[in-house]
PDB file of all heavy atoms in Angstrom:
ATOM      1  N   ALA A 416     -31.870  15.218  19.546  1.00 97.00           N
ATOM      2  CA  ALA A 416     -31.306  14.549  20.713  1.00 97.00           C
ATOM      3  C   ALA A 416     -32.208  13.393  21.125  1.00 97.00           C
ATOM      4  O   ALA A 416     -33.427  13.382  20.809  1.00 97.00           O
ATOM      5  CB  ALA A 416     -31.171  15.526  21.872  1.00 97.00           C
ATOM      6  N   ALA A 417     -31.623  12.387  21.765  1.00 96.00           N
ATOM      7  CA  ALA A 417     -32.392  11.242  22.241  1.00 96.00           C
ATOM      8  C   ALA A 417     -31.909  10.917  23.634  1.00 96.00           C
ATOM      9  O   ALA A 417     -30.751  11.158  24.019  1.00 96.00           O
ATOM     10  CB  ALA A 417     -32.184  10.029  21.330  1.00 96.00           C
ATOM     11  N   THR A 418     -32.837  10.366  24.461  1.00 92.00           N
ATOM     12  CA  THR A 418     -32.510   9.989  25.820  1.00 92.00           C
ATOM     13  C   THR A 418     -32.463   8.460  25.919  1.00 92.00           C
ATOM     14  O   THR A 418     -33.485   7.800  25.689  1.00 92.00           O
ATOM     15  CB  THR A 418     -33.565  10.510  26.803  1.00 92.00           C
ATOM     16  OG1 THR A 418     -33.681  11.920  26.649  1.00 92.00           O
ATOM     17  CG2 THR A 418     -33.167  10.182  28.221  1.00 92.00           C
ATOM     18  N   PRO A 419     -31.299   7.888  26.212  1.00 90.00           N
ATOM     19  CA  PRO A 419     -31.259   6.423  26.398  1.00 90.00           C
ATOM     20  C   PRO A 419     -32.213   6.015  27.522  1.00 90.00           C
ATOM     21  O   PRO A 419     -32.328   6.708  28.554  1.00 90.00           O
ATOM     22  CB  PRO A 419     -29.794   6.158  26.788  1.00 90.00           C
ATOM     23  CG  PRO A 419     -29.038   7.330  26.243  1.00 90.00           C
ATOM     24  CD  PRO A 419     -29.975   8.495  26.369  1.00 90.00           C
ATOM     25  N   GLU A 420     -32.916   4.922  27.354  1.00 83.00           N
ATOM     26  CA  GLU A 420     -33.899   4.491  28.355  1.00 83.00           C
ATOM     27  C   GLU A 420     -33.233   4.064  29.652  1.00 83.00           C
ATOM     28  O   GLU A 420     -33.854   4.117  30.730  1.00 83.00           O
ATOM     29  CB  GLU A 420     -34.750   3.348  27.794  1.00 83.00           C
ATOM     30  CG  GLU A 420     -35.641   3.783  26.627  1.00 83.00           C
ATOM     31  CD  GLU A 420     -36.509   2.629  26.138  1.00 83.00           C
ATOM     32  OE1 GLU A 420     -36.484   1.552  26.762  1.00 83.00           O
ATOM     33  OE2 GLU A 420     -37.205   2.837  25.130  1.00 83.00           O
ATOM     34  N   ALA A 421     -32.010   3.611  29.575  1.00 78.00           N
ATOM     35  CA  ALA A 421     -31.256   3.215  30.756  1.00 78.00           C
ATOM     36  C   ALA A 421     -29.773   3.246  30.429  1.00 78.00           C
ATOM     37  O   ALA A 421     -29.398   3.592  29.286  1.00 78.00           O
ATOM     38  CB  ALA A 421     -31.688   1.802  31.223  1.00 78.00           C
ATOM     39  N   GLY A 422     -28.937   2.916  31.403  1.00 77.00           N
ATOM     40  CA  GLY A 422     -27.499   2.883  31.138  1.00 77.00           C
ATOM     41  C   GLY A 422     -27.092   1.650  30.350  1.00 77.00           C
ATOM     42  O   GLY A 422     -27.862   0.689  30.215  1.00 77.00           O
ATOM     43  N   GLY A 423     -25.906   1.677  29.812  1.00 83.00           N
ATOM     44  CA  GLY A 423     -25.374   0.511  29.106  1.00 83.00           C
ATOM     45  C   GLY A 423     -25.295   0.729  27.604  1.00 83.00           C
ATOM     46  O   GLY A 423     -25.980   1.561  27.025  1.00 83.00           O
ATOM     47  N   ALA A 424     -24.447  -0.091  26.975  1.00 85.00           N
ATOM     48  CA  ALA A 424     -24.157   0.062  25.541  1.00 85.00           C
ATOM     49  C   ALA A 424     -25.381  -0.145  24.678  1.00 85.00           C
ATOM     50  O   ALA A 424     -25.587   0.548  23.695  1.00 85.00           O
ATOM     51  CB  ALA A 424     -23.063  -0.942  25.158  1.00 85.00           C
ATOM     52  N   ALA A 425     -26.227  -1.128  25.024  1.00 89.00           N
ATOM     53  CA  ALA A 425     -27.404  -1.428  24.182  1.00 89.00           C
ATOM     54  C   ALA A 425     -28.333  -0.238  24.143  1.00 89.00           C
ATOM     55  O   ALA A 425     -28.899   0.091  23.075  1.00 89.00           O
ATOM     56  CB  ALA A 425     -28.107  -2.666  24.711  1.00 89.00           C
ATOM     57  N   TYR A 426     -28.546   0.425  25.277  1.00 92.00           N
ATOM     58  CA  TYR A 426     -29.464   1.570  25.299  1.00 92.00           C
ATOM     59  C   TYR A 426     -28.865   2.761  24.576  1.00 92.00           C
ATOM     60  O   TYR A 426     -29.597   3.543  23.915  1.00 92.00           O
ATOM     61  CB  TYR A 426     -29.813   1.920  26.739  1.00 92.00           C
ATOM     62  CG  TYR A 426     -30.652   0.851  27.426  1.00 92.00           C
ATOM     63  CD1 TYR A 426     -30.058  -0.031  28.351  1.00 92.00           C
ATOM     64  CD2 TYR A 426     -31.986   0.696  27.114  1.00 92.00           C
ATOM     65  CE1 TYR A 426     -30.807  -1.011  28.954  1.00 92.00           C
ATOM     66  CE2 TYR A 426     -32.757  -0.275  27.721  1.00 92.00           C
ATOM     67  CZ  TYR A 426     -32.153  -1.146  28.638  1.00 92.00           C
ATOM     68  OH  TYR A 426     -32.893  -2.120  29.224  1.00 92.00           O
ATOM     69  N   LEU A 427     -27.559   2.946  24.686  1.00 94.00           N
ATOM     70  CA  LEU A 427     -26.916   4.013  23.924  1.00 94.00           C
ATOM     71  C   LEU A 427     -27.041   3.786  22.431  1.00 94.00           C
ATOM     72  O   LEU A 427     -27.285   4.710  21.638  1.00 94.00           O
ATOM     73  CB  LEU A 427     -25.433   4.120  24.292  1.00 94.00           C
ATOM     74  CG  LEU A 427     -25.040   5.009  25.481  1.00 94.00           C
ATOM     75  CD1 LEU A 427     -23.562   4.883  25.765  1.00 94.00           C
ATOM     76  CD2 LEU A 427     -25.413   6.475  25.199  1.00 94.00           C
ATOM     77  N   ALA A 428     -26.884   2.524  22.013  1.00 94.00           N
ATOM     78  CA  ALA A 428     -27.008   2.186  20.596  1.00 94.00           C
ATOM     79  C   ALA A 428     -28.449   2.440  20.095  1.00 94.00           C
ATOM     80  O   ALA A 428     -28.648   2.928  18.996  1.00 94.00           O
ATOM     81  CB  ALA A 428     -26.598   0.737  20.366  1.00 94.00           C
ATOM     82  N   ASP A 429     -29.431   2.103  20.928  1.00 95.00           N
ATOM     83  CA  ASP A 429     -30.810   2.360  20.552  1.00 95.00           C
ATOM     84  C   ASP A 429     -31.070   3.856  20.389  1.00 95.00           C
ATOM     85  O   ASP A 429     -31.754   4.296  19.463  1.00 95.00           O
ATOM     86  CB  ASP A 429     -31.768   1.800  21.598  1.00 95.00           C
ATOM     87  CG  ASP A 429     -31.862   0.274  21.562  1.00 95.00           C
ATOM     88  OD1 ASP A 429     -31.490  -0.314  20.539  1.00 95.00           O
ATOM     89  OD2 ASP A 429     -32.324  -0.326  22.564  1.00 95.00           O
ATOM     90  N   ALA A 430     -30.494   4.649  21.298  1.00 96.00           N
ATOM     91  CA  ALA A 430     -30.629   6.108  21.219  1.00 96.00           C
ATOM     92  C   ALA A 430     -29.971   6.640  19.940  1.00 96.00           C
ATOM     93  O   ALA A 430     -30.485   7.549  19.285  1.00 96.00           O
ATOM     94  CB  ALA A 430     -30.045   6.767  22.458  1.00 96.00           C
ATOM     95  N   ALA A 431     -28.830   6.058  19.595  1.00 97.00           N
ATOM     96  CA  ALA A 431     -28.122   6.449  18.385  1.00 97.00           C
ATOM     97  C   ALA A 431     -28.974   6.196  17.148  1.00 97.00           C
ATOM     98  O   ALA A 431     -29.077   7.028  16.233  1.00 97.00           O
ATOM     99  CB  ALA A 431     -26.780   5.726  18.269  1.00 97.00           C
ATOM    100  N   ARG A 432     -29.616   5.051  17.099  1.00 97.00           N
ATOM    101  CA  ARG A 432     -30.481   4.698  15.958  1.00 97.00           C
ATOM    102  C   ARG A 432     -31.666   5.643  15.882  1.00 97.00           C
ATOM    103  O   ARG A 432     -32.075   6.088  14.793  1.00 97.00           O
ATOM    104  CB  ARG A 432     -30.930   3.241  16.047  1.00 97.00           C
ATOM    105  CG  ARG A 432     -29.789   2.228  15.945  1.00 97.00           C
ATOM    106  CD  ARG A 432     -30.306   0.804  15.973  1.00 97.00           C
ATOM    107  NE  ARG A 432     -29.198  -0.159  15.981  1.00 97.00           N
ATOM    108  CZ  ARG A 432     -28.731  -0.686  17.080  1.00 97.00           C
ATOM    109  NH1 ARG A 432     -29.272  -0.409  18.278  1.00 97.00           N
ATOM    110  NH2 ARG A 432     -27.707  -1.547  17.041  1.00 97.00           N
ATOM    111  N   ASP A 433     -32.255   5.953  17.044  1.00 97.00           N
ATOM    112  CA  ASP A 433     -33.425   6.826  17.089  1.00 97.00           C
ATOM    113  C   ASP A 433     -33.059   8.220  16.579  1.00 97.00           C
ATOM    114  O   ASP A 433     -33.751   8.779  15.703  1.00 97.00           O
ATOM    115  CB  ASP A 433     -33.923   6.883  18.535  1.00 97.00           C
ATOM    116  CG  ASP A 433     -35.012   7.929  18.730  1.00 97.00           C
ATOM    117  OD1 ASP A 433     -35.875   8.055  17.836  1.00 97.00           O
ATOM    118  OD2 ASP A 433     -34.994   8.635  19.756  1.00 97.00           O
ATOM    119  N   VAL A 434     -32.022   8.809  17.128  1.00 98.00           N
ATOM    120  CA  VAL A 434     -31.687  10.171  16.759  1.00 98.00           C
ATOM    121  C   VAL A 434     -31.218  10.255  15.310  1.00 98.00           C
ATOM    122  O   VAL A 434     -31.541  11.223  14.583  1.00 98.00           O
ATOM    123  CB  VAL A 434     -30.641  10.744  17.731  1.00 98.00           C
ATOM    124  CG1 VAL A 434     -29.254  10.185  17.506  1.00 98.00           C
ATOM    125  CG2 VAL A 434     -30.615  12.270  17.680  1.00 98.00           C
ATOM    126  N   ALA A 435     -30.498   9.251  14.841  1.00 98.00           N
ATOM    127  CA  ALA A 435     -30.059   9.259  13.443  1.00 98.00           C
ATOM    128  C   ALA A 435     -31.235   9.173  12.471  1.00 98.00           C
ATOM    129  O   ALA A 435     -31.237   9.851  11.439  1.00 98.00           O
ATOM    130  CB  ALA A 435     -29.090   8.113  13.197  1.00 98.00           C
ATOM    131  N   ALA A 436     -32.226   8.347  12.810  1.00 98.00           N
ATOM    132  CA  ALA A 436     -33.405   8.210  11.941  1.00 98.00           C
ATOM    133  C   ALA A 436     -34.127   9.555  11.797  1.00 98.00           C
ATOM    134  O   ALA A 436     -34.570   9.936  10.711  1.00 98.00           O
ATOM    135  CB  ALA A 436     -34.331   7.143  12.510  1.00 98.00           C
ATOM    136  N   ARG A 437     -34.222  10.309  12.893  1.00 98.00           N
ATOM    137  CA  ARG A 437     -34.924  11.581  12.858  1.00 98.00           C
ATOM    138  C   ARG A 437     -34.103  12.641  12.065  1.00 98.00           C
ATOM    139  O   ARG A 437     -34.669  13.435  11.320  1.00 98.00           O
ATOM    140  CB  ARG A 437     -35.207  12.062  14.268  1.00 98.00           C
ATOM    141  CG  ARG A 437     -36.361  11.291  14.899  1.00 98.00           C
ATOM    142  CD  ARG A 437     -36.779  11.851  16.252  1.00 98.00           C
ATOM    143  NE  ARG A 437     -35.908  11.353  17.332  1.00 98.00           N
ATOM    144  CZ  ARG A 437     -35.307  12.129  18.204  1.00 98.00           C
ATOM    145  NH1 ARG A 437     -35.446  13.444  18.137  1.00 98.00           N
ATOM    146  NH2 ARG A 437     -34.565  11.612  19.169  1.00 98.00           N
ATOM    147  N   VAL A 438     -32.784  12.620  12.258  1.00 98.00           N
ATOM    148  CA  VAL A 438     -31.944  13.556  11.503  1.00 98.00           C
ATOM    149  C   VAL A 438     -32.015  13.277  10.009  1.00 98.00           C
ATOM    150  O   VAL A 438     -32.191  14.188   9.173  1.00 98.00           O
ATOM    151  CB  VAL A 438     -30.489  13.492  11.997  1.00 98.00           C
ATOM    152  CG1 VAL A 438     -29.538  14.147  10.992  1.00 98.00           C
ATOM    153  CG2 VAL A 438     -30.376  14.154  13.366  1.00 98.00           C
TER     154      VAL A 438
END
Side-chain angles (χ1 to χ4, degrees):
T418 305
E420 293 183 5
Y426 292 104
L427 271 175
D429 286 342
R432 295 184 185 96
D433 171 41
V434 73
R437 285 186 278 129
V438 164

